[in-house]
Amino acid sequence: MTTTTAAPVHFWNPPDLPGLDFDPLLHRLLHEDPVARVRLPHGDGHAWLVTRYEEVRFVSVDPRFSRQAVYGRSVTRLAPHFIPMDGAVGFADPPDHTRMRRVVAKAFTARSMHRLREHAQQVMDRLLDAMAEHGGPLDLMAHLNRPFPLAMMCELMGVPPADHALIAHWSDTVISASAGREASERAKEEFAEYFTELLGCRRLEPRDDLAGVLAEAVQEGTLELHEAVGLAVLVQIGGGHAVRNNSANMVFALLTHPGHLARLRGQPALLPQAVDELLRYIPHRNAVGLSRIALEDVEVGGVLIPAGDPVYVSYLTANRDPSVFADPELLDFDRCPNPHVAFGHGPHYCPGAALARLESELIVGSLWDRFPGLRLAVPEDQLVWQRGALIRGPETLPVTW
Ligand code: FLV
Ligand code: FLV
């Protein structure tokens, strides 16, 4: 049966949750109102929120839901500003989207992943040496979870080490919900100026990195300059900021699930499966990210979504849908298959998923090899979690060994 739009609107100002606590409203909507209407702290009006696995996958692949139509609309949202820039891949639909993704795929080939794996091991060894030299207690965010993914993204992109701190600062400001709209918009502009210049350098002196690939695509006319720059900014934010927080949550999850950790240490072949289960289990973000607009009336899960309405999907709830994942609230390293959607689904599926997995496996796999006695340096309830964040993670992660 199709229902019409008389459904109530849920006001959703997501609480600052500690640890890996799951948003209670999200949990309730998944089980009681799987195609709901919500209103978030910024923007205007309401949006639909789709929470079940099957419908999340439906909305994220169906071309009747458009990302391009979101651009310039004041859709109700968590962040005061939009994260992607004008012309960025996050706001593109096929076939424009396909053209942009093809360029990025050139930077994520098996060959470049092989090169990055070697680099990753070197960076990791250096960071672990520095930790050993410093001695515990120390902040693992500052010593490992922050610098490692940042170094990897900068290597992929071709950003020189001297500029890492600058890139980190801009990324954090753009992806912050609490830095304020003006600061975030300014950071986006400065970020864009930086990449415009870097791509200019590559045009004069081609190199085999993502900046080089993007510069070549602009030269050939495959990409407009602002598309290439918007792509670079999103890749840098996604690869640095998202992996930093997600991998810190993985370390926290293992430190607070000693049985799981012991099993993983005794059975290293379990690592890829464990990382995927952690990806499924960790609530990566607060609320929801970027919506889509229904281009025509579409029925979703028995509810008619009218043309012109914005629609969000929650990958967090899809990953907890009991019709797909038995005992979804349980962290279970034996889950196989594990068709989670932590990297999204459909055309906007994370292009860096393989690199993110590589980095997380290396962090989780190396940390306890080097520091078998690794433990939290403060009681769990004294850990400080980021407030007003889009992507969730600890503010600092004090550990010792
Ligand atoms: O790339 C996106 C993204 C990345 C991420 O780490 C978390 C997200 O919520 C998102 C998102 O909502 C939209 C993206 O395009
Ligand atoms: O967290 C968000 C986000 C992350 C990201 O890496 C890319 C994005 O386009 C987004 C976004 O649009 C909204 C977010 O809240």
Side-chain angles (χ1 to χ4, degrees), residues 67 83-84 89-91 175 234 237-239 241-243 284-291 312-313 315-316 342-343 348 350-351 390-391:
R67 274 286 183 78
I83 309 301
V89 68
F91 283 129
I175 199 75
L234 269 194
I237 291 173
H241 187 92
V243 178
H284 180 59
R285 60 163 309 123
N286 281 312
V288 278
L290 203 50
S291 65
Y312 282 101
V313 299
Y315 296 119
L316 273 67
F343 291 115
H348 292 275
C350 175
L390 302 182
I391 308 297

Side-chain angles (χ1 to χ4, degrees), residues 214-385:
L214 292 172
E216 193 187 353
V218 173
Q219 191 88 351
E220 287 171 347
T222 314
L223 289 185
E224 305 270 353
L225 179 61
H226 74 286
E227 292 174 332
V229 168
L231 249 166
V233 171
L234 269 194
V235 166
Q236 201 75 47
I237 291 173
H241 187 92
V243 178
R244 176 214 309 174
N245 287 296
N246 196 275
S247 67
N249 284 336
M250 284 190 187
V251 172
F252 170 77
L254 287 168
L255 287 172
T256 50
H257 290 77
H260 289 73
L261 176 61
R263 189 166 162 231
L264 185 57
R265 299 217 53 227
Q267 215 178 323
L270 203 60
L271 187 57
Q273 219 166 298
V275 162
D276 265 297
E277 173 63 355
L278 288 162
L279 285 165
R280 181 195 72 85
Y281 179 80
I282 289 167
H284 180 59
R285 60 163 309 123
N286 281 312
V288 278
L290 203 50
S291 65
R292 292 170 176 81
I293 305 281
L295 297 178
E296 44 187 277
D297 291 358
V298 187
E299 193 184 312
V300 179
V303 176
L304 185 75
I305 296 187
D309 272 17
V311 185
Y312 282 101
V313 299
S314 172
Y315 296 119
L316 273 67
T317 49
N319 283 341
R320 301 269 179 137
D321 186 331
S323 67
V324 179
F325 304 100
D327 291 325
E329 321 300 333
L330 224 63
L331 181 67
D332 176 8
F333 289 167
D334 291 316
R335 225 177 264 287
C336 189
N338 189 344
H340 69 74
V341 283
F343 291 115
H345 186 66
H348 292 275
Y349 180 86
C350 175
L355 181 56
R357 282 192 171 99
L358 185 160
E359 291 176 23
S360 296
E361 285 176 20
L362 204 55
I363 289 174
V364 170
S366 314
L367 198 49
W368 280 275
D369 278 353
R370 187 69 174 266
F371 305 104
L374 192 82
R375 61 185 188 276
L376 288 176
V378 299
E380 188 188 328
D381 62 9
Q382 282 175 29
L383 288 174
V384 180
W385 298 87

Side-chain angles (χ1 to χ4, degrees), residues 94-105:
D96 269 347
H97 177 267
T98 322
R99 167 176 59 82
M100 295 163 86
R101 281 289 288 237
R102 262 196 213 120
V103 175
V104 184

